[in-house]
Amino acid sequence: DAMVIQNPRYQVTQFGKPVTLSCSQTLNHNVMYWYQQKSSQAPKLLFHYYDKDFNNEADTPDNFQSRRPNTSFCFLDIRSPGLGDAAMYLCATSKRTSGNGGKFFGPGTRLTVL
Amino acid sequence: AQKVTQAQTEISVVEKEDVTLDCVYETRDTTYYLFWYKQPPSGELVFLIRRNSFDEQNEISGRYSWNFQKSTSSFNFTITASQVVDSAVYFCALSSQIQGAQKLVFGQGTRLTINP
């Protein structure tokens, strides 16, 4: 089945140690997004790629970066994780289309910072 | 600025009861999209529905139904004959399509508990 895959599902890192989260999709969607969801809060958009064009949200910290080497893969890099970066990180995809097509999320990676 | 309000933080009902989750939104855009997602304890966001601002037709899918009223900026979600498996956090979200991308603004979510 076509889907959005995130690896790993659980990631533990140490304070200040760089970490990379990965997302892949078999939907062939143009757009890939990264959201951060802290405990008991709503997801918040960090940035997105439209094809190879990167779009950062104004309030996304510089500590967060992203790479999209091809249509299928997108990575979230946290250069120096702090305790406040512990959260669920959700990858999503969508296709530029009219109508009522959905925006699909992966299962998420839960990041713990020690 | 866009904003979504889900005034009900938590709802608890007994199985087989009907339950409605409220969603009110604010936007200045004439074209926008409304979504509902379900987030079970596993954490995955499960897509339920997307509606565009020009389509006020209500929708029914099995036990789920959605009532979109532009006049009151509301997009409410009703579960009929609720089941324990419906227990989850439900998010309403709003987006405009900006250069092909759907940037979602989420409400704070409603935690729904269905008791046996």
Side-chain angles (χ1 to χ4, degrees), chain A residues 45-82:
Chain A
L45 181 64
L46 294 173
F47 27 59
H48 75 273
Y49 273 95
Y50 185 88
D51 292 328
K52 292 189 176 183
D53 293 333
F54 177 71
N55 297 269
N56 201 26
E57 293 302 298
D59 56 355
T60 297
D62 292 341
N63 199 25
F64 291 87
Q65 298 184 343
S66 186
R67 296 170 283 136
R68 189 178 186 186
N70 55 52
T71 301
S72 301
F73 284 87
C74 194
F75 300 99
L76 169 62
D77 300 310
I78 309 177
R79 290 194 295 184
S80 181

Side-chain angles (χ1 to χ4, degrees), chain A residues 82-99:
Chain A
L83 298 179
D85 297 327
M88 174 77 91
Y89 290 88
L90 296 159
C91 174
T93 73
S94 68
K95 188 171 184 178
R96 179 174 184 173
T97 184
S98 58

Side-chain angles (χ1 to χ4, degrees), chain A residues 29-31 33 35 45 48 50 55 57 93-103, chain B residues 2 27-35 50-54 93-105:
Chain A
H29 282 174
N30 309 82
V31 195
Y33 311 76
Y35 284 81
L45 181 64
H48 75 273
Y50 185 88
N55 297 269
E57 293 302 298
T93 73
S94 68
K95 188 171 184 178
R96 179 174 184 173
T97 184
S98 58
N100 285 323
K103 180 171 176 177
Chain B
Q2 298 186 323
T27 181
R28 292 182 180 177
D29 295 330
T30 53
T31 301
Y32 53 89
Y33 302 85
L34 295 163
F35 298 75
R50 167 182 137 158
R51 264 285 174 263
N52 73 55
S53 51
F54 298 109
L94 167 69
S95 85
S96 299
Q97 188 141 315
I98 302 171
Q99 296 178 332
Q102 298 171 10
K103 300 170 64 172
L104 294 180
V105 173

Side-chain angles (χ1 to χ4, degrees), chain A residues 7-19:
Chain A
N7 286 307
R9 295 292 308 276
Y10 300 90
Q11 177 74 56
V12 180
T13 191
Q14 291 180 337
F15 183 95
K17 185 175 181 181
V19 65

Side-chain angles (χ1 to χ4, degrees), chain B residues 20-91:
Chain B
T20 295
L21 309 182
D22 297 332
C23 173
V24 175
Y25 62 92
E26 296 174 30
T27 181
R28 292 182 180 177
D29 295 330
T30 53
T31 301
Y32 53 89
Y33 302 85
L34 295 163
F35 298 75
W36 275 97
Y37 285 89
K38 174 182 180 180
Q39 189 172 44
S42 61
E44 183 173 359
L45 276 172
V46 179
F47 168 76
L48 296 178
I49 191 171
R50 167 182 137 158
R51 264 285 174 263
N52 73 55
S53 51
F54 298 109
D55 183 1
E56 285 193 73
Q57 197 171 15
N58 291 329
E59 173 137 348
I60 298 174
S61 176
R63 295 184 298 106
Y64 295 170
S65 63
W66 291 270
N67 185 330
F68 177 24
Q69 300 222 344
K70 235 170 153 176
S71 59
T72 55
S73 297
S74 65
F75 187 44
N76 296 338
F77 172 34
T78 297
I79 302 175
T80 303
S82 59
Q83 300 176 1
V84 172
V85 293
D86 296 327
S87 297
V89 179
Y90 289 85
F91 288 98

Side-chain angles (χ1 to χ4, degrees), chain A residues 14-45:
Chain A
Q14 291 180 337
F15 183 95
K17 185 175 181 181
V19 65
T20 294
L21 309 182
S22 80
C23 176
S24 64
Q25 54 126 342
T26 59
L27 297 158
N28 203 31
H29 282 174
N30 309 82
V31 195
M32 294 186 77
Y33 311 76
W34 281 103
Y35 284 81
Q36 179 193 61
Q37 186 180 21
K38 295 187 178 181
S39 181
S40 300
Q41 295 185 20
K44 181 176 176 300
L45 181 64

